Amino acid sequence: MTIETADESLSSAPEAPASHALWVAVATPAHSSVSEPLSYLSPAPLPPGTLVRVPLGRREVLGVVWDSPAGNEPSLPHGVQARSVLGVLEGIPPLNESWRRLTSFTARYYQRALGEVALAALPPQLRDLTPEQMARRIKRKAKADKDGALGPEAASALPPIQLSEEQQQATRQIASEPGPFLLYGSTGSGKTEVYLHSVQQVLAANPQAQALVMVPEINLTPQLEERFLERFAPIYGESAVVSMHSGMTNPQRLKSWTAAHMGEARIVLGTRMAVFASMPGLALIVVDEEHDASYKQQEGARYSARDLAVWRAREQNAKVILGSATPSLESWHASRPPSAEDPQGGRYLRLNMPSRIGAAELPRVRLVDMSQQPRGAVFSPPLLRAITERVERGEQCLVLLNRRGFAPVLHCKDCGWKSDCPHCSAHQVFHKIDRTLRCHHCGFTQRVPHACPSCGNVDISPMGRGTEQLEEQLAALLRNVITPERRAARVARIDADTTKNKGALEEQLAAVHSGEVDVLVGTQMVAKGHDFRRITLVAAVQPDGALFSSDFRAPERLFALLMQAAGRAGRDAHYIAAQGGNPPEMWIQTWHAEHSLYAALRRHDYPRFASEQLQERTDAGMPPFAYQALVRADARTQEAAQAFLNAVSEAARERQLPGIEHVFLFPPVPMAVQRVANVERAQMLIESTNRSALQHFLAAWQEVLHAARSDHKAVIRWLVDVDPQAI
């Protein structure tokens, strides 16, 4: 804002002694229309990036001193006095210009308030500490660092790791080329070792250098942290490696953030939130499993951590590696090699690593045509025989179903009643283990009724299957199967329900690694990134749903999930040989065995699948050949939500907003799950072949959206999702 007019930050107090005016970014309320830094007074000049405590309305909040917009100094109407900064968090160096540019770009591109993005990027506990409390923490930390410092004599170099020829080629190119790099390596090809080696080279070349390594999900962080500590703790000390993810306590997150911000942590491992870590010496960013949709934030500022990682690396003159066995189609297209038709090629450099290291050949994919199997069979006889044979030899199997719970819905055959959520347009999922019905959208939970609530029929039964039911059925089917240890086969389940408690996931994974589990049933959370050495068979029992989804990204996600799941099998060639050399297998039960997706999967041919999908996207004008945004409205009624979207669409056309000639606004429609927690939801798609035009339009449209909400009282909230991952 060029002139601060927000009532919350101004007062009409008498003139104070001469002070320095400055801009401060604070987290203003959503939809307040105040999106820029606010002006405050300070007794002394403060550099941009300084953390301060300031008054906002009746509250005292954390703020970040910001750069003057376009060089403008804060100015106020005559007789109006800005409020004063209440305190400075001493001992914390200012957030540098690179970090401020990152958060400014994020707010601008994803259409959010600057203060919201900047403050959300800081550890939660930092927002609650007073300057005095922070000073005491800094003092205690300095003493602890002095007492536990790793002296030069304690550091030791590790023996060199023998890399494969493909790994050597990849690391040489990463060291010599500017990037960005797409590391396209099959499952088990040793991508993690390339990450480790590249980090080691960067840190050895510069004593101030830092590296950021991101994974898509929290459950992948512990094993990654273990490998990085094993490699780098002997050289730089254990404190040189820190983690950042939402599963940590607030004190833990503050400690890791401070270590990175001070330059003491050389390596930061984390999930998508770590892309905003303040790292003054950032020299390398790694985005593992870059295709994963978890890198897209689904609340607040809906940013893509992968895309921001690429932007940040370019801005800070750092290198960035995107790694995957099944790259996103956007990254695959961006790494296309030059050709006669396209002499420039893509802006990424593609590094290929097709060979597996220390692993057996890629699993043989076997398709089971369920139309030829006994009616109602959950596990086809051929698959059940294959699982039995593996277990009897002492091998492990993984059964994948991406739906938790016992059954998606309970129903009454007499009257047709279904266990619908009273607050959402969705079913409540039946969880047999505690006899509850749970809505996976709003969280509403209730006990399973003894009889049909509609007609009184006591014979209500589950429809469909979830992981809980698969676990129960497999345990019954394998009850007479004996392992080489002369014990009955053991079936375990890993999904969001079994891993709710702290430490539960680590405990369950340890049981799998130790051989206590013979058959593991799980959702996608066990299908990627885990190094199960004794699993030789993977089975997907109901994958067809995504083949005909209305979401154009569904086939891409299904192919990636199945390829990643297949990669869990046969990861230890020595174990396979010791077991008699039976090749690893990936079984898929399907009603569409002739589908082209499965044909590509059988050959492990991602390039062919990607080529077919990109051609379809080209013909349909879909990303990456077009750019999209969604505007969503939540209201008390569906009519109110759609009326709001229609109004802002019509206003954009009437005003001829900048860029609208290059933008197409689709009519509003209900969302797939249109009611959640008694709130109706509608969305409208905006599309353009010109990213710059779309951005100009969205920025100009903000004023219209804010104004329209005051005219549509039934609208609870609205939001803009740029580059949406689900439509």
Side-chain angles (χ1 to χ4, degrees):
M1 298 175 64
T2 54
I3 295 181
E4 176 46 59
T5 57
D7 292 340
E8 287 192 301
S9 69
L10 297 179
S11 70
S12 56
E15 280 194 25
S19 297
H20 297 269
L22 44 84
W23 298 100
V24 178
V26 295
T28 51
H31 304 306
S32 68
S33 78
V34 180
S35 60
E36 296 299 323
L38 306 180
S39 54
Y40 287 89
L41 297 176
S42 170
L46 297 173
T50 301
L51 295 174
V52 293
R53 305 290 301 182
V54 296
L56 185 67
R58 297 178 180 177
R59 298 175 294 142
E60 179 183 323
V61 300
L62 180 68
V64 183
V65 177
W66 216 258
D67 310 83
S68 298
N72 294 332
E73 291 300 320
S75 58
L76 299 169
H78 179 71
V80 176
Q81 179 80 32
R83 302 174 75 177
S84 297
V85 168
L86 300 176
V88 178
L89 272 64
E90 302 285 356
I92 300 182
L95 293 153
N96 65 20
E97 184 180 359
S98 296
W99 186 90
R100 300 196 304 277
R101 284 203 305 268
L102 171 67
T103 49
S104 292
F105 170 79
T106 303
R108 191 167 60 250
Y109 185 82
Y110 293 103
Q111 305 297 315
R112 305 297 292 198
L114 172 62
E116 175 194 9
V117 174
L119 274 296
L122 300 176
Q125 195 171 33
L126 197 60
R127 304 171 213 163
D128 301 326
L129 294 176
T130 66
E132 294 75 21
Q133 291 171 325
M134 195 67 215
R136 288 195 295 269
R137 284 175 174 266
I138 294 292
K139 187 176 180 180
R140 287 197 302 268
K141 181 181 181 301
K143 184 179 186 303
D145 291 345
K146 183 179 179 181
D147 294 342
L150 180 69
E153 68 283 353
S156 58
L158 292 177
I161 304 297
Q162 185 63 42
L163 301 179
S164 71
E165 185 175 336
E166 290 175 0
Q167 288 175 321
Q168 291 180 42
Q169 175 67 15
T171 54
R172 278 197 298 267
Q173 288 186 270
I174 292 169
S176 60
E177 302 280 351
F181 305 97
L182 176 64
L183 183 60
Y184 168 52
S186 66
T187 54
S189 62
K191 293 187 292 294
T192 303
E193 186 55 50
V194 172
Y195 304 155
L196 288 161
H197 194 83
S198 299
V199 169
Q200 192 166 347
Q201 286 185 320
V202 163
L203 300 191
N206 182 350
Q208 277 75 48
Q210 294 174 295
L212 170 61
V213 181
M214 295 196 295
V215 290
E217 295 185 2
I218 294 173
N219 67 71
L220 299 176
T221 309
Q223 65 181 36
L224 187 70
E225 186 174 18
E226 183 179 344
R227 290 197 65 176
F228 271 80
L229 281 171
E230 180 184 8
R231 177 69 57 88
F232 295 107
I235 307 174
Y236 304 109
E238 291 193 3
S239 61
V241 180
V242 300
S243 294
M244 286 188 188
H245 56 77
S246 59
M248 300 167 65
T249 65
N250 285 346
Q252 288 173 332
R253 287 171 65 176
L254 178 59
K255 182 179 180 182
S256 293
W257 181 88
T258 304
H261 178 60
M262 300 285 201
E264 297 160 1
R266 305 293 303 278
I267 302 166
V268 174
L269 313 175
T271 51
R272 62 176 176 262
M273 62 182 289
V275 76
F276 293 110
S278 174
M279 303 175 69
L282 184 64
L284 174 67
I285 305 178
V286 173
V287 184
D288 191 26
E289 309 291 1
E290 66 86 29
H291 65 277
D292 200 290
S294 298
Y295 283 119
K296 186 72 157 70
Q297 172 75 4
Q298 295 301 324
E299 296 178 353
R302 284 161 163 73
Y303 63 86
S304 165
R306 178 199 64 202
D307 296 348
L308 288 180
V310 175
W311 190 92
R312 185 177 187 181
R314 184 181 72 242
E315 280 292 299
Q316 289 195 235
N317 198 28
K319 296 189 176 185
V320 60
I321 306 170
L322 311 179
S324 178
T326 53
S328 65
L329 291 180
E330 286 85 355
S331 296
W332 186 257
H333 180 67
S335 67
R336 64 193 184 281
S339 64
E341 299 79 18
D342 183 10
Q344 292 294 322
R347 63 187 186 279
Y348 296 175
L349 178 61
R350 188 185 302 169
L351 310 176
N352 297 305
M353 290 185 8
S355 305
R356 294 185 111 188
I357 296 177
E361 61 191 38
L362 286 166
R364 179 174 58 188
V365 177
R366 304 189 61 168
L367 300 177
V368 180
D369 187 346
M370 294 304 288
S371 66
Q372 305 300 314
Q373 304 305 314
R375 186 176 181 181
V378 180
F379 294 95
S380 62
L383 174 57
L384 191 58
R385 284 195 299 271
I387 292 175
T388 299
E389 291 171 3
R390 298 277 177 172
V391 173
E392 288 178 339
R393 291 200 299 264
E395 300 169 22
Q396 293 175 318
C397 302
L398 170 63
V399 177
L400 176 69
L401 177 63
N402 210 24
R403 183 189 297 128
R404 58 192 174 99
F406 188 87
V409 62
L410 283 184
H411 85 300
C412 174
K413 295 179 181 177
D414 285 0
C415 71
W417 170 87
K418 292 184 177 67
S419 56
D420 293 332
C421 175
H423 309 296
C424 306
S425 55
H427 300 308
Q428 283 188 290
V429 177
F430 173 41
H431 290 257
K432 185 176 180 181
I433 194 168
D434 58 2
R435 303 291 298 175
T436 60
L437 295 172
R438 301 183 211 161
C439 177
H440 290 176
H441 296 279
C442 73
F444 179 72
T445 302
Q446 59 185 350
R447 301 292 298 174
V448 173
H450 296 293
C452 173
S454 179
C455 72
N457 174 29
V458 295
D459 186 20
I460 53 177
S461 57
M463 283 180 65
R465 296 173 183 88
T467 50
E468 191 181 326
Q469 185 177 164
L470 284 193
E471 177 191 23
E472 180 182 282
Q473 292 181 339
L474 260 182
L477 291 169
L478 301 177
R479 64 185 180 279
N480 295 323
V481 176
I482 304 300
T483 69
E485 292 85 7
R486 311 298 299 171
R487 59 168 175 79
R490 295 171 180 163
V491 180
R493 170 170 54 97
I494 295 182
D495 56 26
D497 294 322
T498 67
T499 57
K500 289 184 294 187
N501 298 329
K502 187 174 178 61
L505 176 62
E506 291 79 4
E507 182 180 332
Q508 293 169 43
L509 289 175
V512 178
H513 289 301
S514 67
E516 297 174 33
V517 174
D518 302 299
V519 181
L520 175 63
V521 176
T523 55
Q524 64 175 355
M525 66 187 298
V526 297
K528 50 195 174 187
H530 297 289
D531 191 18
F532 299 124
R533 311 303 291 180
R534 295 173 57 179
I535 286 181
T536 59
L537 182 148
V538 174
V541 292
Q542 292 180 352
D544 287 347
L547 294 177
F548 308 104
S549 169
S550 59
D551 187 346
F552 71 91
R553 296 185 191 274
E556 177 186 1
R557 286 196 289 266
L558 175 61
F559 190 88
L561 176 62
L562 295 178
M563 281 280 285
Q564 292 290 330
R568 299 317 103 202
R571 296 182 70 86
D572 190 335
H574 296 296
Y575 177 75
I576 296 290
Q579 291 297 107
N582 294 290
E585 294 179 325
M586 171 70 174
W587 287 67
I588 298 174
Q589 295 189 158
T590 174
W591 294 85
H592 305 279
E594 303 304 317
H595 197 282
S596 60
L597 183 148
Y598 294 136
L601 189 69
R602 292 188 73 169
R603 295 186 298 271
H604 300 279
D605 192 352
Y606 172 80
R608 175 177 173 176
F609 170 77
S611 176
E612 292 174 352
Q613 286 290 302
L614 286 171
Q615 185 59 53
E616 289 183 13
R617 301 270 186 97
T618 302
D619 296 341
M622 294 288 189
F625 307 104
Y627 306 97
Q628 296 178 331
L630 277 177
V631 177
R632 194 179 96 190
D634 294 355
R636 293 302 177 193
T637 66
Q638 183 65 212
E639 293 75 16
Q642 293 198 34
F644 172 82
L645 295 175
N646 278 317
V648 295
S649 177
E650 185 60 31
R653 294 186 179 93
E654 289 178 355
R655 296 191 185 191
Q656 283 296 296
L657 295 179
I660 194 168
E661 66 274 15
H662 302 292
V663 170
F664 186 81
L665 286 82
F666 288 79
V669 295
M671 294 186 66
V673 181
Q674 72 178 57
R675 182 166 54 95
V676 172
N678 292 322
V679 172
E680 292 285 337
R681 311 185 305 167
Q683 65 183 16
M684 181 167 61
L685 178 64
I686 303 98
E687 198 169 74
S688 176
T689 56
N690 186 308
R691 175 176 283 176
S692 178
L694 178 61
Q695 280 289 311
H696 280 108
F697 171 76
L698 292 175
W701 207 20
Q702 287 287 320
E703 182 182 346
V704 175
L705 289 161
H706 282 291
R709 185 168 179 262
S710 62
D711 297 331
H712 293 75
K713 303 299 183 184
V715 172
I716 301 169
R717 54 186 164 264
W718 57 265
L719 61 88
V720 177
D721 185 356
V722 181
D723 301 333
Q725 290 298 298
I727 299 177

